[in-house]
Structure formats: C-alpha cells, structure tokens
Amino acid sequence: MSCTTILVGKNVSYDGSTIIARNEDSGDGEFEAKRFVVVQPDEQPRHYTSVISHLSIDLDDVYPDDTAMRYTAMPDAVAKQGIWAEAGVNAENIAMSATETITSNERVLGADPLVQYAGAKGKPGDEGYEAEVPGGIGEEDMVTLVLPYIHSARQGVERLGSLLERYGTYEMNGIAFSDVDEIWWLETVGGHHWIAKRVPDEAYVTMPNQLGIDEFDIDDAFGEQDSHMCSEDLREFIAANHLDLSVESTSPFNPRDAFGSHSDSDHVYNTPRAWFMQRYLNPYDEVWDGPDADHSPMSDDIPWARQPERKITIEDIRYVLASHYQGTPYDPYGKSGDERTRGLFRPIGINRNGQLAVLQIRPYMPESCRSLQWIAYGSNAFNTLVPFYSNVDGTPAYLGDTTGRVTTENFYWANRVIAALCDRAYGKTVSAVESYRQATGAAGHQLVKAADEQVARLGSQDTSTANTEVRGILGTANETMAKQLKEATDALLDGVLFTASMDMHNSFRMSDN
C-alpha cells in the first residue's frame, strides 16, 4: 500500500501530545472502502489466519499469557484481503499505525528474502506434489496481532519485532507506536530483520514510502536501548552481507544507505512528498526552491527527523497530508507551472486516499478521555478531518457501517462522491470545501472541549478507561460529532453537485423572453 506518515514528538506538538498520523492509500487502480470500529476482547481472534499469506498463528501457543484489550480500528469494509485494521488506540491509550510501505534494495533482499506465500502444486498423492508454503505477516495482520496486547509503545516494538523474527514478512513496512510519553518507528529490513528508533521529543518525522531512518546507534540498540532497538542478529547480518556503506568508521551508521533505495522512481513518487512536508513546516530554515535549493524534490538526503520552526497543530498535519504541492509548479490544480511540471510528482492528497487516522494522546487529560482518533475518509484534497474519542464501546453508524455499496448515508462514500465532483471543478468548488473543512474542524474542537468539561464535572475518582460512565459521555459526543458531520457533508455534496451539474457539456442556456 502506498501511504504517507508524519510523527510529531510531544515537545513540538501544539498541546504536548504525542501524535502519529498516516494516510492509508489504496494500490494503483483500487479504492478500498473503510470503516471505523471498536473491537471488543471477545471479538479478538486467538487462532489467526492471514488471507494473503495463508499463515496461521495460534496465539494461545505463542503468547499463552495474553489478555486482549478493547481497541479501535479502521478495517476494510469488504474483507476480501483480510482485516487490514490499519490504525487504532487500545484501552490503555497505546496507539499503533500499520503500515507505511517502504522500499529496500537488492543486497538486503538477497541476504534476507521476503517470506512469500507459495501455492500448492499438483494434488496430494500425485508425483511431484508440493504442499503450499505460507508467507509471513504483513499490513493485513499487524494491528490485529499486536495492538490489543501492548501496554506501551516500546512494548509494541518488542512484540512486533518478535513476530517478524519468528514468522517473517512478505513486504517492507514501517510501523508507528505511541503512548503518552514516547513515539517509536519500526522499519522492516528484508524478510526477518528490523530496526526501530524513538522519535525525538523535539522533532517531527516525515515518511513517504521509503525506508527513512538515516542515523542509527547500533551500540544503543544492543545496550541501553534508550532510543534504538533492532533484531537480535542485526550486527552480524550487516557485517556478513557487507551492508554498511559508511566510508569512515567514526561516522554514524546510516540505515537509509544500507537498507534503502535511491531509485529514479523514488524521485517522482517518494522524495517530493518529504520535501513538501518539510518545506511547509520549516519554510525559513533553508532554501527549498530554485537552482540554489538546499533540498529539492529529488534529494535523497532529506532528513528523517527535524525540529519544526513552530509547534505543529492538528490542522498542520491535515494540511500536509492533504497536500498536492500547493504554491509550487507541481500542483496538478495550479496555474504557476506548465504541462511538464503540473502532475510531475505523486501528490500526498491523492485520489486513492482511503482513510487518514491522526492518533493524539493528550498528557493533560485523565486516562478515561486521553486519546482522540481524528478521522478523514476519501481523497484528502476534498475532505475534512474530525475528532472521535477512542475510549468507547462502539462507533457511529455514519463512520462504522460502510459496505461495498455506494451510498451517501455513510461518510466514506459521501467523501468519494464529493472528491470526484470537485476534481473536475476545482476552481469553482475549492472555497466551498475550505468552508466545510473549517466549520467541521471548529465543531470538532468545540465538541471535544465540551465533552472534556463534562467528564471533569463528574468528579469521579475512577479516571481509568474502565469507567463506564465516562465511556457513555464520550460515546454520546462521538454520535453528536457524526450527526453534525453528516449534516455538513450533505450540504457540501448538494452544493458541489449543483456546481458540477451546471458545467456539464450538454448544458444550454436560452432566455424565455
């Protein structure tokens, strides 16, 4: 899956929250409808079988002491390829987003091949029969196998790392974990190896479908593990396969050089996205445009982590994850470029955006209402981002009851229809979309503030996520948000449908006089 991720450390977010956010994008030529759900402990499978890789895992054997927690998730509405839970927050306010598809190189994949599914050949008993060989775990599986069982972001890295070492993976992926104090980013390296790095509290991270970590302290990973972790034999793996490309032994180990890619396609599909996000969040730190730019859209050395020039808001995150190179010659809707530059690079806000999850864990709130899951469906260039509490027993039907049937009675399909209409009439509909976005965003902030205050007025001694009275308040707030959201979305749809209809090619105007 093609996706885009931004991670925001607690010291540079606007309110001290840890924030992890990711667009889940469908593959080329596909559009996966999405749902927002709560998975209860008794719904969590203990014998798990992957649809794509045919891998079966008996969690009672692998983790006999596991106790599943309630968690939110963003699964596919049509589960033809499995669950694809993608992003959520569990009952202990631990968040996970999985996954960002990343790139590698031939040296890594030759040293540790991906664990691909191989179907059976022939029939049992026949000469030459070969039984099927299961593959490893992948994006379809990771949230379901990890999020219900972890009690910290660091523990998420450890659990997923152990699963990768045991079963392997059939794809290269990046996975984010967060709790109220820390954010960790894990990247798979070949079929069974992995590295993970703690996001600095004073920095943000941009990830555009490439292996991103550009500096890694192996001594820390095999020592205190203050900010680095890795698979058990990573040091030997690097040495045996000549993967360290450092020229000087005193220079930091660079995983992007060792494990990543620097292909021509990266310069069209990946690096421009990191360039635009950092250009927006650090506009004055360096020159971003022109022949004297410090970094261009094709630069391979755009930093993985960077301190922003000001604190980052939810609206900043929405903007960069909805962007299409506004203000540059590369904007497909712009007028400053030409036919060669417009549409040259892959936008972040693309037609194939399926869902955006912004997972915010607020340190100043009690555990019972600490976490918010901000949600957008469909193409981010034409949708809105709204907050929902994660500590609830269920989700509003408007966001949770998506099916494969096109209907404006749910948020996903309404946004898909709006985007298709607006794309052909961008100049005439963009102001309506902006007004809708601002109104729904403001309503979201207001509802969160009101619900937080209602929880505070309870004065309950039980500030845990187990407090059913608080969960009831938060569930009601979510329903109110969904109701207001539907009204605003219906109104926008009505307006852009009228605008698009007036510009149909078979229109004709003639006075009756």
Side-chain angles (χ1 to χ4, degrees):
M1 286 289 181
S2 54
C3 305
T4 309
T5 293
I6 182 169
L7 315 172
V8 182
K10 62 186 179 182
N11 290 349
V12 293
S13 70
Y14 73 106
D15 67 343
S17 296
T18 55
I19 304 175
I20 62 176
R22 178 177 62 95
N23 289 341
E24 179 196 356
D25 304 337
S26 299
D28 189 21
E30 298 178 348
F31 296 89
E32 295 291 345
K34 302 300 296 186
R35 304 168 57 218
F36 174 46
V37 302
V38 173
V39 182
Q40 299 292 344
D42 60 1
E43 298 172 318
Q44 177 67 11
R46 293 299 296 165
H47 184 83
Y48 180 85
T49 300
S50 171
V51 172
I52 292 176
S53 68
H54 294 220
L55 174 68
S56 291
I57 301 175
D58 192 330
L59 292 174
D60 289 326
D61 289 341
V62 181
Y63 299 107
D65 298 327
D66 268 351
T67 300
M69 287 179 276
R70 182 184 69 253
Y71 63 102
T72 58
M74 302 290 291
D76 286 357
V78 181
K80 61 181 183 294
Q81 288 189 312
I83 299 172
W84 293 77
E86 294 301 322
V89 184
N90 73 21
E92 290 196 1
N93 293 307
I94 313 302
M96 178 179 179
S97 179
T99 70
E100 177 84 25
T101 306
I102 59 176
T103 54
S104 188
N105 61 62
E106 296 90 333
R107 299 181 306 280
V108 171
L109 298 178
D112 182 13
L114 298 174
V115 185
Q116 305 279 7
Y117 167 71
K121 296 181 180 179
K123 296 180 180 180
D126 291 351
E127 183 178 355
Y129 167 72
E130 295 180 16
E132 75 169 15
V133 179
I137 61 173
E139 184 170 351
E140 172 197 344
D141 321 301
M142 290 179 180
V143 169
T144 303
L145 293 173
V146 176
L147 183 58
Y149 307 104
I150 57 175
H151 306 278
S152 68
R154 184 182 294 261
Q155 195 176 93
V157 171
E158 294 168 345
R159 182 183 178 98
L160 180 56
S162 70
L163 288 167
L164 289 166
E165 291 177 38
R166 180 166 183 160
Y167 299 106
T169 181
Y170 54 85
E171 57 188 356
M172 294 281 293
N173 280 314
I175 300 94
F177 300 94
S178 64
D179 54 37
V180 71
D181 294 313
E182 296 185 340
I183 300 173
W184 281 83
W185 178 252
L186 182 151
E187 295 182 330
T188 60
V189 179
H192 300 84
H193 293 84
W194 57 273
I195 57 174
K197 183 162 182 168
R198 185 183 177 207
V199 175
D201 295 337
E202 67 282 357
Y204 68 92
V205 163
T206 55
M207 284 296 305
N209 287 136
Q210 275 184 295
L211 192 140
I213 297 175
D214 54 6
E215 187 173 315
F216 194 81
D217 188 339
I218 295 180
D219 290 336
D220 180 45
F222 284 95
E224 295 296 321
Q225 297 187 339
D226 177 66
S227 298
H228 304 81
M229 289 190 277
C230 65
S231 46
E232 290 185 358
D233 66 338
L234 186 73
R235 185 175 269 148
E236 293 80 5
F237 175 67
I238 293 170
N241 295 284
H242 314 289
L243 295 173
D244 188 352
L245 302 184
S246 302
V247 175
E248 299 179 7
S249 59
T250 56
S251 63
F253 173 66
N254 187 332
R256 193 184 294 179
D257 287 342
F259 307 136
S261 64
H262 300 89
S263 68
D264 292 339
S265 62
D266 285 330
H267 299 152
V268 173
Y269 201 82
N270 294 323
T271 54
R273 286 182 275 160
W275 170 81
F276 186 85
M277 288 190 281
Q278 295 191 21
R279 179 181 182 270
Y280 175 78
L281 295 171
N282 289 79
Y284 305 113
D285 273 359
E286 58 181 76
V287 176
W288 294 100
D289 302 289
D292 297 323
D294 296 293
H295 287 102
S296 78
M298 298 183 184
S299 296
D300 288 321
D301 61 345
I302 297 172
W304 176 72
R306 187 173 203 139
Q307 184 173 354
E309 293 176 14
R310 60 170 176 79
K311 291 188 175 182
I312 297 173
T313 67
I314 296 293
E315 289 69 37
D316 291 327
I317 293 169
R318 184 211 58 76
Y319 183 84
V320 297
L321 292 182
S323 61
H324 41 87
Y325 305 107
Q326 299 95 307
T328 77
Y330 313 115
D331 183 358
Y333 301 111
K335 297 182 179 179
S336 61
D338 54 35
E339 291 303 315
R340 184 188 65 84
T341 61
R342 285 195 293 268
L344 178 62
F345 300 131
R346 189 264 204 211
I348 300 173
I350 200 169
N351 62 330
R352 293 180 281 105
N353 296 143
Q355 61 90 15
L356 163 60
V358 180
L359 308 177
Q360 178 184 11
I361 306 177
R362 306 177 297 165
Y364 50 89
M365 297 305 299
E367 291 183 3
S368 60
C369 58
R370 176 164 288 174
S371 297
L372 296 172
Q373 185 157 345
W374 295 74
I375 295 172
Y377 284 150
S379 178
N380 290 340
F382 305 103
N383 63 14
T384 189
L385 182 68
V386 286
F388 293 89
Y389 287 96
S390 65
N391 183 31
V392 290
D393 293 314
T395 58
Y398 189 52
L399 288 91
D401 287 357
T402 314
T403 67
R405 183 175 71 88
V406 179
T407 171
T408 57
E409 289 305 302
N410 64 59
F411 191 40
Y412 173 83
W413 287 113
N415 276 285
R416 281 281 309 280
V417 172
I418 287 169
L421 292 169
C422 290
D423 178 76
R424 298 293 180 178
Y426 183 83
K428 295 182 178 181
T429 59
V430 64
S431 61
V433 172
E434 284 295 335
S435 296
Y436 161 75
R437 189 174 279 155
Q438 185 173 61
T440 53
H445 282 291
Q446 292 169 352
L447 281 168
V448 168
K449 181 179 179 180
D452 285 349
E453 291 173 349
Q454 190 175 355
V455 170
R457 286 195 297 270
L458 283 178
S460 174
Q461 296 300 310
D462 182 5
T463 60
S464 73
T465 57
N467 188 320
T468 56
E469 189 173 10
V470 171
R471 290 211 302 274
I473 291 172
L474 304 185
T476 299
N478 284 358
E479 292 290 347
T480 301
M481 183 71 246
K483 182 177 182 294
Q484 294 185 10
L485 180 62
K486 186 178 187 309
E487 292 171 354
T489 303
D490 286 349
L492 176 64
L493 177 59
D494 180 75
V496 300
L497 176 60
F498 176 82
T499 299
S501 298
M502 290 297 292
D503 282 342
M504 290 173 65
H505 290 296
N506 62 353
S507 64
F508 191 88
R509 297 179 179 87
M510 185 174 66
S511 172
D512 289 333
N513 295 330

